[in-house]
Amino acid sequence: MTALRQWFRSLPARHGRRTLIALALIAALGLVCRAVAVVHPVADPADDSHAYYALSKALYEEGSYGGPEFHSEATSDWSPGAPWLYAGLFVVTGGPREGSIRILEALMGVGTILIVFFLGWRLGGRWPALLGAVGVAIYPPFIHSVGEVMSEPPAMLSLPAAILAFLWAWDGKNPWRWLVPGFLFGATAMFRPEYTLVAGAFVVFAAVRWAWRREWAFGATAIGLMLVALLLPIIPWTIRNIVVLDRLVPISTGGGKALYVGTFYPADGEYQRVKAILYERETDESLPPNSQALNEVDPTPLFNHVWKSRYPELERDSALGKIGKENFSKYFGEDPLGYLGMTARKIGRMWSSGVGEFMATAPGRVIQIALVLLGIAGLVLLGFARRWWETLCLAAPIVLVTVVGAITLAAPRRNEILMTLIFPLAGLALSSAAAALSSPGRKWSH
């Protein structure tokens, strides 16, 4: 606690009072924007929003992961981190209310603003930090997600915090520091299972760098502590899955479904179009993708029909994953260029838009694409400055999750957590461009 108080008291000296006042105003702006979403939630929330609330409510009221609203085969399709967090909130607040979750999401959004500020400061000082914080404060998809019950808001806080903690641990000589990034990466994986791959990559990065420096004893201790902390939030749920599902499932079983959707070439690997096709096959009735009527359709029976009609002897997720692999073999074999085109379009959809009505408009798409391009420019600047460690730490999650999306499901929501890394990088690019224009010949530096 003494170290924390000293750190807090040193903030004005390290960042400047004016900068901290500006940060406080940005955080207040972000809170106001999110408060509007709390009071006026999304009128037609996504299927996942209904699922996460139902799972959280079942954990609170019944102590089970999924109640009567769920088909037993499907409950483990959803990652458990957010339902457990929100069920804990229900215990604290005395009952299951969606409004309580939205308030927590709003507060986590303010925390994300602060974390992105410190990450931006690490990359380039005052202006990348403030510009990144402003972006997080007013970015429409971040505000939109507060109006739903989703797993992204806590992951938007934990991912940049994990990377910042990883860099902080590397700067010090205390191996106990490595507990912090380890736990944060483990928590992020519990919120969004695709980040298990990211967590593993950071363990490898640290191990390789310690080996390169030949600091074997200290490196082994640090890596061991990081691994223990990383597995701490995951192992209990893995044991639960072994008992309940009677097979090894580290976090969730949604990978098979995602692979099935992502390889469904007739629907261009897009979830809404897959859902519309499956609904038409089941009912002989056509509903437009993204329509209100289709959104009201429960998708679980549609995917269950695919499972039971093809491989009823397998577990649901295993069956859907097997069909997904068959889809890839079939469609890539028949039309490799067309399939590669679909993959490129999936990546394009993932990064060229975001959740919410505004991001589906032409101005929204222009803003989104501009932000992504600025983020790439920020990564290039870090590389030119030979700051390879920071470049690797920010590029790795972006690249790895994009690859996962290219192979499986690449919905625009997939980019939402990664945008917490794009914003400080975009701030770095903008501030560096402004500095170069105002002082010709000036070199960018930290």
Side-chain angles (χ1 to χ4, degrees), residues 264-305:
F264 198 74
Y265 185 55
D268 210 38
E270 186 177 10
Y271 175 77
Q272 281 285 323
R273 292 172 64 179
V274 172
K275 185 178 177 182
I277 290 173
L278 295 182
Y279 181 77
E280 185 173 4
R281 287 178 180 177
E282 186 82 9
T283 65
D284 291 325
E285 180 182 350
S286 178
L287 294 177
N290 299 302
S291 64
Q292 174 67 25
L294 186 63
N295 287 338
E296 292 175 356
V297 174
D298 181 5
T300 301
L302 302 179
F303 288 99
N304 284 349
H305 179 75

Side-chain angles (χ1 to χ4, degrees), residues 9 112 167 171 187 199 273 292 302 322 343 378 384 414 441:
R9 290 172 181 171
T112 304
L167 295 171
D171 291 341
R273 292 172 64 179
Q292 174 67 25
L302 302 179
K322 184 174 182 179
T343 302
F384 279 143
R414 183 84 77 173

Side-chain angles (χ1 to χ4, degrees), residues 140-201:
F142 289 174
I143 298 167
H144 181 275
S145 288
V146 174
E148 298 183 289
V149 177
M150 302 299 284
S151 61
E152 280 79 10
M156 285 188 280
L157 174 62
S158 63
L159 176 66
I163 294 173
L164 191 62
F166 185 86
L167 295 171
W168 166 76
W170 187 261
D171 291 341
K173 293 297 182 182
N174 185 347
W176 294 100
R177 284 189 174 199
W178 290 89
L179 289 170
V180 182
F183 181 80
L184 289 170
F185 277 119
T188 304
M190 287 292 284
F191 295 131
R192 297 299 308 171
E194 63 266 33
Y195 285 87
T196 306
L197 183 63
V198 174

Side-chain angles (χ1 to χ4, degrees), residues 44-193:
D44 182 28
D47 294 335
D48 284 348
S49 180
H50 296 298
Y52 281 120
Y53 177 70
L55 289 168
S56 305
K57 185 178 179 182
L59 282 170
Y60 173 75
E61 293 182 340
E62 305 167 17
S64 65
Y65 197 62
E69 300 176 52
F70 278 88
H71 297 267
S72 59
E73 309 91 359
T75 56
S76 293
D77 278 2
W78 285 271
S79 52
W84 276 106
L85 175 64
Y86 299 149
L89 175 68
F90 295 159
V91 172
V92 173
T93 58
R97 290 178 288 271
E98 290 191 35
S100 300
I101 296 176
R102 291 196 293 272
I103 291 172
L104 177 61
E105 289 176 328
L107 295 176
M108 288 189 292
V110 175
T112 304
I113 293 170
L114 302 179
I115 291 296
V116 167
F117 170 85
F118 290 114
L119 184 58
W121 189 278
R122 167 94 189 200
L123 298 182
R126 178 181 294 107
W127 290 111
L130 289 175
L131 289 170
V134 168
V136 174
I138 63 174
Y139 184 53
F142 289 174
I143 298 167
H144 181 275
S145 288
V146 174
E148 298 183 289
V149 177
M150 302 299 284
S151 61
E152 280 79 10
M156 285 188 280
L157 174 62
S158 63
L159 176 66
I163 294 173
L164 191 62
F166 185 86
L167 295 171
W168 166 76
W170 187 261
D171 291 341
K173 293 297 182 182
N174 185 347
W176 294 100
R177 284 189 174 199
W178 290 89
L179 289 170
V180 182
F183 181 80
L184 289 170
F185 277 119
T188 304
M190 287 292 284
F191 295 131
R192 297 299 308 171

Side-chain angles (χ1 to χ4, degrees), residues 13-33:
R14 286 187 287 115
H15 300 289
R17 292 185 181 276
R18 291 182 179 178
T19 300
L20 293 180
I21 291 172
L23 175 61
L25 292 174
I26 292 168
L29 173 63
L31 181 59
V32 169
C33 292

